[in-house]
Amino acid sequence: MVDLTGKTALVTGSVQGIGLAVAEALAGAGARIAVHGLAGDHQIHEACTHLRAKGAPQAEFFHGDLRQPERIDELMAAVAAWGGADILVNNAGIQHTAPLARMPRETWDTILQVNLSAAFETMQAALPGMAERGYGRVINIASVHGLVASKDKAPYVAAKHGLVGLSRVAALEYAGTGSKADGGVTVNCICPGWTETEILAPQIAERAEAHGGDRAAGIAELLAEKQPSRRTSDPAEIGALALWLCDPIAHNVTGTAIPVDGGWTAQ
């Protein structure tokens, strides 16, 4: 059992999907959770209440629009005043698909800011404090698209490849901090393939309908081109991996980009 009692985790985009699943896993191990995301008051209250029920001694919401660097500064200052992040999970991200020739410049800029620059800014703020304490975990939720490319996703693929590279640089810079007993400071990426979130639900429903309502057959068809297992991952599986990376036993696992993709990137 991983024990995160006394640790504070900031998980961006943690009001739903993979971010919420990661926050649930960390809460279950006793971490305080700094919740973040784009949500209304009801969803914020629901997420914080849910995470406290999962085991977090505290779960509080922190505002911060990742499209605006000054708002990120305010977010990190507020978390620092709350005690500082021992664990930073950069999960929030956005995507837009279009051919390279027709990708709007403003879309490129926004996707790069949210998916890459925001992680640089949160890491720059959080890592020195982790080094001082001798324990820290940065887990960046990248994507298989941090390892391989797909058509019509130029800014997303560029950002996720950049996130993997950024993480490796930070891992090298902080590899010598802390000790085996304390857990040291590590920086890693998790690279999910097809994962069942709300974004995927309409595509699954459409394919299932074409197979007479057979959801498993619809998923298999949807995944056939990319993911050899033809099985999706659940967000909780990403949460379980993130939790393990937070264990002091993982002190020498740093600078990695771990695919959870049913063999997609092995091809």
Side-chain angles (χ1 to χ4, degrees):
M1 294 290 291
V2 181
D3 183 4
L4 298 179
T5 302
K7 306 296 189 197
T8 297
L10 167 60
V11 185
T12 67
S14 50
V15 293
Q16 62 184 356
I18 290 174
L20 179 58
V22 171
E24 288 173 346
L26 303 182
R32 297 196 312 160
I33 307 296
V35 183
H36 167 271
L38 297 176
D41 290 344
H42 176 73
Q43 190 177 13
I44 289 169
H45 173 76
E46 197 172 62
C48 290
T49 300
H50 173 70
L51 291 170
R52 286 191 288 267
K54 286 288 185 180
Q58 291 177 277
E60 303 295 338
F61 186 81
F62 290 80
H63 293 275
D65 188 337
L66 301 185
R67 295 168 297 184
Q68 302 177 43
E70 63 274 14
R71 300 285 87 83
I72 298 172
D73 292 342
E74 292 169 3
L75 164 66
M76 299 311 293
V79 174
W82 200 50
D86 302 292
I87 298 161
L88 168 63
V89 182
N90 283 304
N91 164 76
I94 56 174
Q95 186 180 170
H96 176 78
T97 58
L100 181 64
R102 296 201 298 273
M103 185 67 69
R105 172 66 66 82
E106 60 272 19
T107 300
W108 168 273
D109 291 341
T110 301
I111 290 176
L112 266 289
Q113 171 58 39
V114 173
N115 292 11
L116 178 57
S117 296
F120 165 77
E121 289 149 6
T122 59
M123 289 165 66
Q124 189 176 55
L127 276 163
M130 294 178 183
E132 288 177 11
R133 292 187 290 271
Y135 170 88
R137 294 292 185 267
V138 176
I139 301 169
N140 292 322
I141 307 300
S143 166
V144 292
H145 289 114
L147 303 172
V148 295
S150 291
K151 294 188 296 183
D152 300 334
K153 297 178 181 178
Y156 187 79
V157 170
K160 294 301 186 179
H161 271 70
L163 185 58
V164 170
L166 170 65
S167 301
R168 288 175 172 160
V169 171
L172 292 175
E173 291 186 2
Y174 286 88
T177 57
S179 66
K180 182 185 291 190
D182 292 332
V185 177
T186 68
V187 183
N188 293 287
C189 287
I190 298 176
C191 300
W194 289 101
T195 305
E196 287 213 43
T197 62
E198 289 301 313
I199 293 174
L200 192 58
Q203 295 178 71
I204 292 176
E206 181 181 347
R207 298 298 180 101
E209 185 177 350
H211 287 272
D214 187 334
R215 192 171 187 276
I219 290 172
E221 181 186 302
L222 181 64
L223 273 57
E225 182 181 339
K226 298 286 190 181
Q227 194 149 310
S229 69
R230 300 197 182 189
R231 299 187 300 271
T232 58
S233 296
D234 293 325
E237 296 166 26
I238 310 303
L241 177 54
L243 176 61
W244 183 82
L245 287 171
C246 291
D247 195 320
I249 201 172
H251 66 97
N252 262 339
V253 181
T254 194
T256 68
I258 305 172
V260 184
D261 65 359
W264 184 334
T265 55
Q267 300 177 94

